[in-house]
Amino acid sequence: MIPAGFEYHRPADLAAAIGILQQHGDEARVVAGGHSLIPMMKLRMAELGHLVDLRDIGELRGIGIAGGTAEIGAMTTQHELIGHGGLASALPVLREAALQIADPQVRYLGTIGGNVANGDPGNDMPAVMQCLGARFRLCGPEGEREVAARDFYEAAFFTARAEEEILSRILIPLPPEGTGQAYVKQKRKIGDYATAAAAVIAGRDSASVAMTNLSDTPVWSAEAGAALAAGHVEGCVEAMLAAIDPQEDMRGPIPFKKHVAAVVLRRAIGAALARRA
Amino acid sequence: MDKIPVTFTLNGETVEGLAEPRMLLIHFLRETLGVTGPHIGCETSHCGACTVDMDGRSVKSCTLFAVQASGSEIVTVEGLANPDGTLGVIQEMFREHHGLQCGFCTPGMITRAWRLLQETPNPSEEQVRFGMAGNLCRCTGYQNIVKAVLASAAELNAAKEAAE
């Protein structure tokens, strides 16, 4: 379980990190918390010539809430996210989801940026970000640009991020006061990815719904959200079951996954509605 | 790849060595520094036997490169004994409450419990179970580990009160 050799880089700022990516092209990969990439390197399923460690880059840290938007630095760890009082009251669904990711040791190092940028369908935060209508700020050689979370995921491990770009911040519009929020996840054991998970926000006349690990990308359904906004819970579930595309794997056959998807979605809807003020 | 210098604080003392960038922290601790408290269990980030404390966080030293730890402060189970070499409070409570059988997971358990009890000095049983979820034990069934951590909390709090 020893990775192949590589050269280690620890740039102090974003410009230097992008410079290293430009210099080495697809030979280089950035590492945030490393809890997806390093296991893959140990299995030799990820091989790279240059590892660019983002841990010293201050520009990628910090959480701010202002003007109706929460701004979260990509290197914010799940542990920091869970402990942030302002986020816990403005966006409780983030804390609820983060607490269901892996285990304490992983949450101390695993970052929100890594979780959303990795493109693994098993990651929990992408569906939460799609549910909330978040935007991702990407920094590259040409400058900055923003991509909506709902447009970011192209296929498993393929995203709108270009090779020389680094995700710097996540921008989340705060839902109107009184909006109920919930993330419900079914997993086989602590540390496992979801068999199915659902992110739901529900206001007085608006709603948004997204799900995790039921397709090769997170699944956000406009129809499901519209049905829930109109008060039709079963219509929402039906629309979502039509939108997902689960595959059979060690977490179960397709009919079982659809069953679990409906169960967790109903639970998440119930929780969000109960929390709506 | 050339070896590069790695230096950090280990249990209060500065240590240094050379490591290839691909060398995992657990191998650097055990093989380069001879610190064999942290164990190699699953090597796949699941079991927590390799848990050490880095800059106030419990981390799995099999999922971190030694070069990444440079400049940090690391505590292993060796650093949790009393200065005279007798068992520290958490170690003693694991002994008293039979919080171990084969003992392989114990260094990771104790190192994790130490951090958990600093963040949550008065945990409920549920908080102990949730907070220790990154450490697997294949012997005890966890009951006595949970008891040992709760007893450690009571002991540490009583000692703190006595000191005040």
Side-chain angles (χ1 to χ4, degrees), chain B residues 55-142:
Chain B
D55 293 334
R57 303 175 286 190
S58 306
V59 301
K60 293 178 180 177
S61 59
C62 78
T63 312
L64 199 71
F65 296 112
V67 290
Q68 295 184 284
S70 228
S72 66
E73 268 188 48
I74 291 182
V75 177
T76 64
V77 71
E78 284 89 345
L80 300 181
N82 294 325
D84 65 0
T86 57
L87 297 181
V89 170
I90 304 174
Q91 293 171 314
E92 182 58 31
M93 289 300 106
F94 267 69
R95 190 195 64 78
E96 191 176 318
H97 292 274
H98 303 279
L100 62 146
Q101 288 178 24
C102 85
F104 196 85
C105 70
T106 313
M109 287 283 177
I110 288 174
T111 310
R112 170 60 194 143
W114 180 67
R115 176 55 51 195
L116 172 66
L117 292 177
Q118 288 179 60
E119 291 183 350
T120 316
N122 270 307
S124 63
E125 182 185 330
E126 194 188 344
Q127 285 174 314
V128 171
R129 288 184 183 275
F130 191 75
M132 299 290 293
N135 295 73
L136 301 182
C137 171
R138 297 287 85 147
C139 304
T140 62
Y142 301 101

Coordinates of all heavy atoms in Angstrom, one line a residue, chain B residues 55-142:
Chain B
D55 N -1.6 18.7 15.3 CA -2.1 20.1 15.5 C -3.5 20.1 16.0 O -4.4 20.8 15.5 CB -2.1 20.8 14.1 CG -0.6 21.0 13.7 OD1 0.3 21.1 14.5 OD2 -0.4 21.2 12.4
G56 N -3.8 19.3 17.0 CA -5.1 19.3 17.7 C -6.2 18.6 17.0 O -7.4 18.8 17.3
R57 N -5.8 17.7 16.0 CA -6.8 16.9 15.3 C -6.4 15.4 15.3 O -5.2 15.1 15.1 CB -6.9 17.4 13.9 CG -7.3 18.9 13.7 CD -7.2 19.4 12.3 NE -5.9 19.5 11.8 CZ -5.6 20.0 10.6 NH1 -6.6 20.5 9.9 NH2 -4.4 20.1 10.2
S58 N -7.4 14.6 15.5 CA -7.1 13.1 15.4 C -7.0 12.8 13.9 O -7.9 13.1 13.1 CB -8.2 12.3 16.0 OG -8.5 12.7 17.3
V59 N -5.9 12.2 13.5 CA -5.7 11.9 12.0 C -5.2 10.5 11.9 O -4.6 9.9 12.8 CB -4.8 12.9 11.3 CG1 -5.3 14.3 11.4 CG2 -3.4 12.8 11.8
K60 N -5.6 9.9 10.7 CA -5.1 8.6 10.4 C -3.8 8.7 9.7 O -3.7 9.2 8.6 CB -6.1 7.8 9.6 CG -7.4 7.6 10.4 CD -8.5 6.9 9.6 CE -9.7 6.7 10.5 NZ -10.9 6.2 9.8
S61 N -2.7 8.3 10.3 CA -1.4 8.5 9.8 C -1.0 7.6 8.6 O 0.0 7.8 8.0 CB -0.3 8.4 10.9 OG -0.3 7.1 11.5
C62 N -2.0 6.8 8.2 CA -1.8 6.0 7.0 C -2.3 6.7 5.8 O -2.2 6.3 4.7 CB -2.5 4.6 7.1 SG -4.2 4.7 6.8
T63 N -3.0 7.9 6.0 CA -3.6 8.6 4.9 C -3.1 10.0 4.9 O -3.8 11.0 4.6 CB -5.1 8.6 5.1 OG1 -5.5 7.2 5.4 CG2 -5.9 9.0 3.8
L64 N -1.8 10.1 5.1 CA -1.1 11.4 5.2 C 0.4 11.1 4.8 O 0.9 10.1 5.3 CB -1.2 11.9 6.6 CG -1.0 13.4 6.9 CD1 -2.2 14.2 6.4 CD2 -0.9 13.5 8.4
F65 N 1.0 11.9 4.0 CA 2.4 11.7 3.8 C 3.2 12.4 4.9 O 2.9 13.4 5.4 CB 2.8 12.3 2.4 CG 2.1 11.5 1.3 CD1 1.1 12.2 0.5 CD2 2.4 10.2 1.0 CE1 0.5 11.5 -0.5 CE2 1.8 9.5 0.0 CZ 0.8 10.1 -0.8
A66 N 4.4 11.8 5.2 CA 5.2 12.4 6.2 C 5.6 13.8 5.9 O 5.6 14.7 6.8 CB 6.5 11.5 6.4
V67 N 5.9 14.1 4.6 CA 6.2 15.5 4.2 C 5.1 16.5 4.6 O 5.4 17.7 4.8 CB 6.6 15.6 2.7 CG1 7.9 14.9 2.5 CG2 5.5 15.1 1.8
Q68 N 3.9 16.0 4.5 CA 2.8 16.9 4.8 C 2.7 17.3 6.3 O 2.1 18.3 6.7 CB 1.4 16.2 4.5 CG 1.2 16.0 3.0 CD -0.1 15.4 2.7 OE1 -0.4 14.3 2.9 NE2 -1.0 16.3 2.2
A69 N 3.3 16.4 7.1 CA 3.3 16.6 8.6 C 4.4 17.6 9.0 O 4.5 18.0 10.2 CB 3.4 15.3 9.3
S70 N 5.3 17.9 8.1 CA 6.4 18.8 8.5 C 5.9 20.1 9.1 O 5.0 20.7 8.5 CB 7.3 19.1 7.2 OG 8.6 18.9 7.5
G71 N 6.5 20.5 10.2 CA 6.1 21.7 10.8 C 5.0 21.6 11.8 O 4.6 22.6 12.5
S72 N 4.4 20.4 11.9 CA 3.3 20.2 12.8 C 3.7 19.7 14.2 O 4.8 19.5 14.5 CB 2.3 19.2 12.2 OG 2.9 18.0 12.1
E73 N 2.7 19.7 15.1 CA 2.9 19.1 16.4 C 2.1 17.8 16.5 O 0.9 17.7 16.3 CB 2.3 20.1 17.5 CG 3.4 21.0 18.0 CD 2.9 21.8 19.1 OE1 2.3 21.3 20.1 OE2 3.1 23.1 19.1
I74 N 2.8 16.7 16.8 CA 2.2 15.4 16.7 C 2.3 14.7 18.1 O 3.3 14.9 18.8 CB 2.9 14.5 15.7 CG1 2.5 15.1 14.3 CG2 2.5 13.0 15.8 CD1 3.0 14.3 13.1
V75 N 1.2 14.1 18.5 CA 1.2 13.4 19.8 C 0.8 11.9 19.4 O -0.2 11.7 18.7 CB 0.2 14.0 20.8 CG1 0.2 13.1 22.1 CG2 0.6 15.4 21.1
T76 N 1.5 11.0 20.0 CA 1.2 9.6 19.8 C 0.9 9.0 21.2 O 1.0 9.7 22.2 CB 2.3 8.7 19.2 OG1 3.4 8.8 20.1 CG2 2.8 9.3 17.9
V77 N 0.4 7.8 21.3 CA 0.1 7.2 22.6 C 1.3 7.2 23.5 O 1.1 7.4 24.8 CB -0.5 5.8 22.4 CG1 0.7 4.8 22.0 CG2 -1.2 5.3 23.6
E78 N 2.5 7.2 23.0 CA 3.7 7.3 23.9 C 3.6 8.6 24.7 O 4.2 8.7 25.8 CB 4.9 7.3 23.1 CG 5.3 5.9 22.5 CD 4.7 5.5 21.2 OE1 3.8 6.2 20.7 OE2 5.2 4.5 20.6
G79 N 3.0 9.7 24.1 CA 3.0 10.9 24.8 C 1.9 11.1 25.8 O 1.7 12.1 26.4
L80 N 1.1 10.0 26.0 CA -0.1 10.1 26.9 C 0.2 9.5 28.2 O -0.7 9.4 29.1 CB -1.3 9.6 26.2 CG -1.7 10.3 24.9 CD1 -2.9 9.7 24.3 CD2 -1.9 11.8 25.1
A81 N 1.3 8.8 28.4 CA 1.7 8.3 29.7 C 2.0 9.4 30.6 O 2.3 10.5 30.2 CB 2.9 7.3 29.6
N82 N 2.0 9.1 31.9 CA 2.5 10.2 32.9 C 4.0 10.4 32.7 O 4.7 9.5 32.2 CB 2.2 9.7 34.3 CG 0.7 9.6 34.6 OD1 -0.1 10.4 34.1 ND2 0.3 8.6 35.4
P83 N 4.5 11.5 33.2 CA 5.9 11.8 33.0 C 6.8 10.8 33.7 O 7.9 10.5 33.2 CB 6.1 13.2 33.7 CG 4.7 13.8 33.6 CD 3.8 12.7 33.7
D84 N 6.3 10.1 34.7 CA 7.2 9.1 35.4 C 7.0 7.7 34.7 O 7.6 6.7 35.2 CB 6.8 9.0 36.9 CG 5.4 8.5 37.1 OD1 4.7 8.2 36.1 OD2 5.0 8.4 38.3
G85 N 6.3 7.7 33.6 CA 6.2 6.4 32.9 C 5.1 5.5 33.2 O 4.8 4.5 32.6
T86 N 4.3 5.9 34.3 CA 3.1 5.1 34.7 C 2.0 5.5 33.7 O 2.1 6.5 32.9 CB 2.7 5.4 36.1 OG1 2.5 6.9 36.2 CG2 3.7 5.0 37.1
L87 N 1.0 4.7 33.7 CA -0.1 4.9 32.8 C -0.8 6.2 33.0 O -1.1 6.6 34.2 CB -1.2 3.7 32.9 CG -0.7 2.3 32.5 CD1 -1.8 1.3 32.7 CD2 -0.1 2.3 31.1
G88 N -1.2 6.9 32.0 CA -2.0 8.1 32.1 C -3.4 7.7 32.4 O -3.8 6.5 32.4
V89 N -4.3 8.8 32.7 CA -5.6 8.5 33.1 C -6.4 7.6 32.1 O -7.0 6.6 32.5 CB -6.4 9.8 33.3 CG1 -7.9 9.6 33.6 CG2 -5.8 10.6 34.5
I90 N -6.3 8.0 30.8 CA -7.2 7.2 29.8 C -6.6 5.8 29.7 O -7.4 4.8 29.6 CB -7.2 7.9 28.5 CG1 -7.7 9.4 28.7 CG2 -8.1 7.2 27.5 CD1 -7.6 10.2 27.4
Q91 N -5.3 5.7 29.7 CA -4.7 4.3 29.6 C -5.1 3.5 30.8 O -5.5 2.3 30.7 CB -3.1 4.5 29.6 CG -2.6 5.1 28.3 CD -1.1 5.4 28.5 OE1 -0.7 6.0 29.5 NE2 -0.4 5.1 27.4
E92 N -5.1 4.1 32.0 CA -5.5 3.4 33.2 C -6.9 3.0 33.2 O -7.3 1.8 33.6 CB -5.2 4.3 34.5 CG -5.5 3.7 35.8 CD -4.7 2.4 36.1 OE1 -3.6 2.3 35.6 OE2 -5.3 1.5 36.8
M93 N -7.8 3.8 32.7 CA -9.2 3.5 32.6 C -9.5 2.4 31.6 O -10.3 1.5 31.8 CB -10.0 4.7 32.3 CG -10.1 5.8 33.4 SD -10.9 5.1 34.9 CE -9.4 5.0 36.0
F94 N -8.7 2.3 30.5 CA -8.9 1.2 29.6 C -8.4 -0.1 30.3 O -9.1 -1.1 30.0 CB -8.0 1.5 28.3 CG -8.8 2.1 27.2 CD1 -9.2 3.5 27.3 CD2 -9.1 1.5 26.0 CE1 -9.9 4.1 26.3 CE2 -9.8 2.1 25.0 CZ -10.2 3.4 25.1
R95 N -7.4 0.0 31.1 CA -7.0 -1.2 31.8 C -8.1 -1.6 32.8 O -8.5 -2.8 32.8 CB -5.7 -1.0 32.6 CG -5.0 -2.2 33.1 CD -3.9 -1.9 34.2 NE -4.5 -1.2 35.3 CZ -5.1 -1.8 36.3 NH1 -5.3 -3.1 36.3 NH2 -5.6 -1.1 37.3
E96 N -8.5 -0.7 33.6 CA -9.4 -1.0 34.7 C -10.8 -1.5 34.1 O -11.4 -2.4 34.7 CB -9.7 0.3 35.5 CG -10.4 0.0 36.8 CD -10.5 1.2 37.7 OE1 -9.5 2.0 37.8 OE2 -11.6 1.5 38.2
H97 N -11.2 -1.0 33.0 CA -12.6 -1.3 32.5 C -12.5 -2.4 31.4 O -13.4 -2.6 30.7 CB -13.3 -0.1 32.0 CG -13.7 0.8 33.2 ND1 -14.9 0.7 33.9 CD2 -13.0 1.8 33.7 CE1 -14.9 1.6 34.8 NE2 -13.8 2.3 34.8
H98 N -11.3 -3.0 31.2 CA -11.1 -4.0 30.2 C -11.5 -3.5 28.8 O -12.3 -4.1 28.1 CB -11.9 -5.3 30.5 CG -11.6 -5.9 31.9 ND1 -10.5 -6.7 32.1 CD2 -12.1 -5.7 33.1 CE1 -10.4 -7.0 33.3 NE2 -11.4 -6.5 34.0
G99 N -11.0 -2.3 28.5 CA -11.3 -1.7 27.2 C -10.5 -2.2 26.1 O -10.4 -1.6 25.0
L100 N -9.9 -3.4 26.3 CA -9.1 -4.0 25.3 C -9.1 -5.5 25.5 O -9.2 -5.9 26.6 CB -7.7 -3.5 25.2 CG -6.8 -3.7 26.5 CD1 -5.4 -3.9 26.1 CD2 -6.9 -2.4 27.4
Q101 N -8.9 -6.2 24.4 CA -8.6 -7.7 24.6 C -7.2 -7.9 23.9 O -6.2 -8.0 24.6 CB -9.7 -8.5 24.0 CG -11.0 -8.4 24.9 CD -12.1 -9.2 24.4 OE1 -12.0 -10.1 23.6 NE2 -13.3 -8.8 24.8
C102 N -7.2 -8.0 22.6 CA -5.8 -8.2 22.0 C -5.0 -7.0 22.0 O -3.7 -7.1 22.0 CB -6.0 -8.7 20.5 SG -6.2 -7.4 19.3
G103 N -5.6 -5.8 22.1 CA -4.8 -4.6 22.3 C -4.3 -3.9 21.0 O -3.7 -2.8 21.1
F104 N -4.6 -4.5 19.9 CA -4.0 -3.9 18.7 C -4.6 -2.5 18.3 O -3.9 -1.6 17.9 CB -4.3 -4.8 17.5 CG -3.4 -4.5 16.3 CD1 -2.1 -5.0 16.2 CD2 -3.9 -3.7 15.3 CE1 -1.3 -4.6 15.1 CE2 -3.1 -3.3 14.2 CZ -1.8 -3.8 14.1
C105 N -5.9 -2.3 18.6 CA -6.6 -1.1 18.3 C -6.3 0.0 19.4 O -6.7 1.2 19.2 CB -8.1 -1.3 18.1 SG -9.0 -1.6 19.6
T106 N -5.8 -0.5 20.5 CA -5.8 0.4 21.7 C -5.0 1.7 21.6 O -5.5 2.8 22.0 CB -5.3 -0.4 22.9 OG1 -5.9 -1.7 22.9 CG2 -5.5 0.3 24.2
P107 N -3.8 1.7 21.0 CA -3.2 3.0 20.9 C -4.0 4.1 20.1 O -4.0 5.2 20.5 CB -1.9 2.7 20.1 CG -1.7 1.2 20.4 CD -3.0 0.6 20.5
G108 N -4.6 3.6 19.0 CA -5.5 4.5 18.3 C -6.7 4.9 19.1 O -7.1 6.1 19.0
M109 N -7.3 4.0 19.8 CA -8.5 4.3 20.6 C -8.1 5.4 21.6 O -8.9 6.3 21.8 CB -8.9 3.0 21.3 CG -9.6 2.0 20.4 SD -11.3 2.5 20.1 CE -11.8 1.1 19.0
I110 N -7.0 5.2 22.3 CA -6.7 6.1 23.4 C -6.3 7.4 22.9 O -6.7 8.5 23.4 CB -5.5 5.4 24.3 CG1 -6.1 4.3 25.1 CG2 -4.9 6.5 25.2 CD1 -5.1 3.4 25.9
T111 N -5.6 7.5 21.8 CA -5.2 8.8 21.2 C -6.4 9.5 20.7 O -6.5 10.7 20.9 CB -4.2 8.5 20.0 OG1 -3.1 7.7 20.5 CG2 -3.6 9.8 19.6
R112 N -7.3 8.8 20.1 CA -8.6 9.5 19.7 C -9.4 9.9 20.9 O -9.9 11.0 20.9 CB -9.4 8.5 18.8 CG -10.8 9.0 18.5 CD -10.8 10.3 17.8 NE -12.1 10.9 17.8 CZ -12.4 12.3 17.9 NH1 -11.3 13.1 18.0 NH2 -13.6 12.8 17.8
A113 N -9.5 9.1 21.9 CA -10.3 9.4 23.1 C -9.7 10.7 23.8 O -10.5 11.5 24.3 CB -10.3 8.2 24.1
W114 N -8.4 10.8 23.8 CA -7.8 11.9 24.4 C -8.2 13.2 23.7 O -8.6 14.2 24.4 CB -6.2 11.8 24.2 CG -5.4 12.8 24.8 CD1 -5.3 13.2 26.1 CD2 -4.6 13.8 24.1 NE1 -4.4 14.2 26.3 CE2 -4.0 14.6 25.0 CE3 -4.3 13.9 22.7 CZ2 -3.1 15.6 24.7 CZ3 -3.4 14.9 22.4 CH2 -2.8 15.8 23.3
R115 N -8.3 13.3 22.4 CA -8.7 14.5 21.7 C -10.2 14.7 21.9 O -10.7 15.8 22.2 CB -8.4 14.3 20.2 CG -8.9 15.5 19.3 CD -8.4 16.8 19.7 NE -7.0 16.9 19.9 CZ -6.4 17.9 20.6 NH1 -7.1 18.9 21.1 NH2 -5.1 17.9 20.8
L116 N -11.0 13.6 21.8 CA -12.4 13.7 22.0 C -12.8 14.3 23.4 O -13.6 15.2 23.5 CB -13.1 12.3 21.9 CG -14.6 12.2 22.3 CD1 -15.4 13.0 21.3 CD2 -15.0 10.7 22.3
L117 N -12.0 13.9 24.4 CA -12.3 14.4 25.8 C -11.9 15.9 26.0 O -12.3 16.5 26.9 CB -11.7 13.5 26.8 CG -12.4 12.1 26.9 CD1 -11.7 11.2 27.9 CD2 -13.9 12.2 27.2
Q118 N -10.9 16.3 25.1 CA -10.6 17.7 25.2 C -11.6 18.6 24.5 O -11.9 19.7 25.0 CB -9.2 18.0 24.6 CG -8.1 17.4 25.4 CD -6.8 17.6 24.8 OE1 -6.3 18.7 24.6 NE2 -6.1 16.5 24.6
E119 N -12.2 18.1 23.5 CA -13.3 18.8 22.8 C -14.6 18.7 23.5 O -15.4 19.6 23.5 CB -13.4 18.3 21.3 CG -12.2 18.7 20.5 CD -12.4 18.2 19.0 OE1 -13.3 17.5 18.7 OE2 -11.5 18.6 18.2
T120 N -14.9 17.6 24.1 CA -16.1 17.3 24.8 C -15.9 16.7 26.1 O -15.9 15.4 26.3 CB -17.0 16.3 23.9 OG1 -16.9 16.7 22.5 CG2 -18.4 16.3 24.4
P121 N -15.6 17.5 27.1 CA -15.1 17.0 28.4 C -16.2 16.1 29.2 O -15.9 15.3 30.0 CB -14.8 18.2 29.2 CG -14.6 19.3 28.2 CD -15.6 19.0 27.1
N122 N -17.5 16.4 28.8 CA -18.6 15.7 29.5 C -19.4 14.9 28.5 O -20.6 15.2 28.4 CB -19.4 16.7 30.3 CG -18.9 16.8 31.7 OD1 -18.7 15.8 32.4 ND2 -18.7 18.1 32.1
P123 N -18.9 14.0 27.8 CA -19.7 13.4 26.7 C -20.8 12.4 27.2 O -20.6 11.8 28.3 CB -18.7 12.6 25.9 CG -17.6 12.2 26.9 CD -17.6 13.3 27.9
S124 N -21.9 12.4 26.5 CA -22.9 11.3 26.7 C -22.3 10.0 26.1 O -21.4 10.1 25.3 CB -24.2 11.7 26.0 OG -24.0 11.8 24.6
E125 N -23.0 8.9 26.4 CA -22.6 7.7 25.8 C -22.7 7.8 24.3 O -21.8 7.3 23.5 CB -23.4 6.5 26.3 CG -23.0 5.2 25.7 CD -23.9 4.0 26.0 OE1 -24.5 4.0 27.1 OE2 -23.9 3.1 25.2
E126 N -23.8 8.4 23.8 CA -23.9 8.6 22.3 C -22.8 9.4 21.7 O -22.3 9.1 20.7 CB -25.3 9.2 22.1 CG -25.7 9.1 20.6 CD -27.0 9.9 20.3 OE1 -27.7 10.3 21.3 OE2 -27.2 10.2 19.2
Q127 N -22.4 10.4 22.4 CA -21.3 11.3 21.9 C -20.0 10.5 21.9 O -19.2 10.7 21.0 CB -21.2 12.5 22.7 CG -22.2 13.6 22.5 CD -22.2 14.7 23.4 OE1 -22.0 14.6 24.6 NE2 -22.3 16.0 22.9
V128 N -19.8 9.6 22.8 CA -18.6 8.8 22.8 C -18.6 7.9 21.6 O -17.6 7.7 20.9 CB -18.4 8.0 24.1 CG1 -17.3 7.0 24.0 CG2 -18.2 8.9 25.3
R129 N -19.8 7.2 21.4 CA -19.9 6.3 20.3 C -19.7 7.0 19.0 O -19.0 6.5 18.1 CB -21.2 5.5 20.3 CG -21.3 4.5 21.5 CD -22.6 3.7 21.5 NE -22.6 2.8 22.6 CZ -22.1 1.6 22.6 NH1 -21.5 1.1 21.5 NH2 -22.2 0.8 23.7
F130 N -20.3 8.2 18.8 CA -20.2 8.9 17.6 C -18.7 9.4 17.4 O -18.2 9.4 16.3 CB -21.2 10.1 17.6 CG -21.3 10.7 16.2 CD1 -22.0 10.1 15.2 CD2 -20.7 12.0 16.0 CE1 -22.1 10.7 14.0 CE2 -20.9 12.6 14.7 CZ -21.6 12.0 13.7
G131 N -18.2 9.9 18.5 CA -16.8 10.5 18.4 C -15.7 9.4 18.2 O -14.6 9.8 17.8
M132 N -16.0 8.2 18.6 CA -15.0 7.1 18.4 C -15.3 6.3 17.2 O -14.7 5.2 17.0 CB -15.0 6.2 19.7 CG -14.7 6.9 21.0 SD -13.0 7.4 21.1 CE -12.1 5.8 21.2
A133 N -16.2 6.7 16.3 CA -16.6 5.9 15.2 C -15.5 5.6 14.2 O -15.7 4.7 13.3 CB -17.8 6.6 14.5
G134 N -14.5 6.4 14.2 CA -13.4 6.2 13.3 C -12.4 5.1 13.7 O -11.3 5.0 13.1
N135 N -12.6 4.5 14.8 CA -11.7 3.5 15.3 C -12.4 2.1 15.5 O -13.4 2.0 16.2 CB -11.2 3.9 16.7 CG -10.3 5.1 16.6 OD1 -10.9 6.2 16.4 ND2 -9.0 5.0 16.7
L136 N -11.9 1.1 14.8 CA -12.6 -0.2 14.9 C -11.9 -1.1 15.8 O -10.6 -1.1 16.0 CB -12.5 -0.9 13.5 CG -13.2 -0.1 12.3 CD1 -13.2 -0.9 11.0 CD2 -14.7 0.3 12.7
C137 N -12.7 -1.9 16.5 CA -12.2 -3.0 17.4 C -12.8 -4.3 17.1 O -14.1 -4.3 16.9 CB -12.5 -2.6 18.9 SG -12.1 -4.0 20.0
R138 N -12.1 -5.3 16.9 CA -12.7 -6.6 16.5 C -12.8 -7.5 17.6 O -13.3 -8.7 17.5 CB -11.8 -7.3 15.4 CG -11.7 -6.5 14.1 CD -13.0 -6.5 13.2 NE -13.9 -5.5 13.7 CZ -14.7 -4.8 12.8 NH1 -14.7 -5.0 11.6 NH2 -15.6 -3.9 13.3
C139 N -12.4 -7.1 18.9 CA -12.5 -8.0 20.0 C -13.7 -7.6 20.9 O -14.5 -8.5 21.3 CB -11.3 -8.0 20.8 SG -9.7 -8.4 20.0
T140 N -13.7 -6.4 21.4 CA -14.5 -6.1 22.6 C -16.0 -5.9 22.4 O -16.7 -6.1 23.3 CB -14.0 -4.8 23.2 OG1 -14.3 -3.7 22.3 CG2 -12.5 -4.8 23.6
G141 N -16.4 -5.6 21.2 CA -17.8 -5.3 21.0 C -18.1 -3.8 21.5 O -19.2 -3.4 21.6
Y142 N -17.0 -3.1 21.8 CA -17.0 -1.7 22.1 C -17.6 -1.3 23.5 O -17.3 -0.2 24.0 CB -17.8 -0.9 21.1 CG -17.2 -1.0 19.7 CD1 -17.8 -1.9 18.7 CD2 -16.0 -0.3 19.3 CE1 -17.2 -2.0 17.5 CE2 -15.5 -0.5 18.1 CZ -16.0 -1.3 17.2 OH -15.5 -1.5 15.9

